[in-house]
Amino acid sequence: MKIPKSRVPQLAQAMLRALTEHNDIETEAPAEVALDIESVLNQYIKDEAELSEKARDTVASRGLPGDQLGRVKRQLAEEKKIQIGEEAIDYLVDQLIEFLMHSSNVDEIYAPDHQLRLRLREPLRRVLAVDGDLDSAVRGQMKHMQEGSAMWEIEYQRVLEDVRRRKGL
């Protein structure tokens, strides 16, 4: 699951808004809670980037074909007990709930865990839906390149920025 770093502040605000509008949490410092949420999201982005880099290094050092990158990344994620792919949303929501439970910036939590999960999951899904559409558009333009290669990663980022610019995102 790729969360664009540029979208983290607005995602954190959307999550906070979902929690406070429904009176699921009480806080005297909503800006601090938003920063807490951002820190969890940024840590996940950092962990996922480290996994990707380590997976690329492992594939290169072992001389494996580029299509093995996903498998190696999943193995590394299992070792570090980090979820990626479809399971990442639930993993990230669990991390956020745990952080909210221990945050000194949250005065009270009124909602049960399952309700918190619903409130936190929805903004994540919206961001990922937009990101999934972008990913599909980028991959459609990159059919000529082999996925997993270093050149593919560079070109993916370039085409992604171009598509975002054209769509005004």
Side-chain angles (χ1 to χ4, degrees):
M1 173 177 77
K2 296 258 187 204
I3 300 173
K5 193 160 181 69
S6 62
R7 304 277 304 259
V8 168
Q10 73 185 61
L11 179 57
Q13 287 296 327
M15 289 176 159
L16 177 63
R17 195 171 29 258
L19 293 171
T20 56
E21 282 178 353
H22 296 94
N23 297 319
D24 293 332
I25 66 168
E26 182 180 306
T27 181
E28 294 293 321
E32 294 300 318
V33 175
L35 290 175
D36 288 346
I37 293 171
E38 282 184 41
S39 71
V40 172
L41 295 172
N42 284 326
Q43 184 61 46
Y44 179 79
I45 291 169
K46 180 182 170 200
D47 291 345
E48 215 245 337
E50 287 174 2
L51 275 176
S52 294
E53 186 174 328
K54 191 169 183 178
R56 279 192 296 273
D57 291 346
T58 302
V59 166
S61 67
R62 292 183 185 170
L64 297 172
D67 61 353
Q68 293 294 310
L69 185 65
R71 184 183 60 78
V72 171
K73 187 175 176 181
R74 280 189 298 279
Q75 286 175 338
L76 292 171
E78 284 178 24
E79 290 172 12
K80 291 194 176 228
K81 297 186 183 350
I82 297 173
Q83 297 295 319
I84 57 175
E86 290 296 317
E87 298 87 27
I89 291 178
D90 290 332
Y91 170 79
L92 196 50
V93 167
D94 289 343
Q95 296 291 314
L96 288 164
I97 290 172
E98 187 68 28
F99 202 82
L100 290 172
M101 296 285 185
H102 298 323
S103 174
S104 60
N105 297 315
V106 176
D107 300 326
E108 192 69 44
I109 297 177
Y110 297 111
D113 282 2
H114 71 277
Q115 197 168 16
L116 292 174
R117 283 184 211 303
L118 288 173
R119 303 269 194 255
L120 293 170
R121 189 177 290 132
E122 192 54 40
L124 262 176
R125 284 191 176 153
R126 279 195 303 263
V127 165
L128 295 177
V130 168
D131 207 41
D133 293 343
L134 286 173
D135 184 63
S136 296
V138 170
R139 288 177 186 273
Q141 292 183 23
M142 294 184 55
K143 290 180 181 177
H144 64 284
M145 297 189 78
Q146 181 179 348
E147 185 173 348
S149 66
M151 191 62 181
W152 188 88
E153 291 289 333
I154 294 167
E155 187 67 11
Y156 182 90
Q157 291 303 319
R158 188 190 66 73
V159 174
L160 178 63
E161 290 305 316
D162 186 47
V163 170
R164 277 192 179 139
R165 187 174 27 81
R166 280 189 275 132
K167 289 189 177 195
L169 298 174

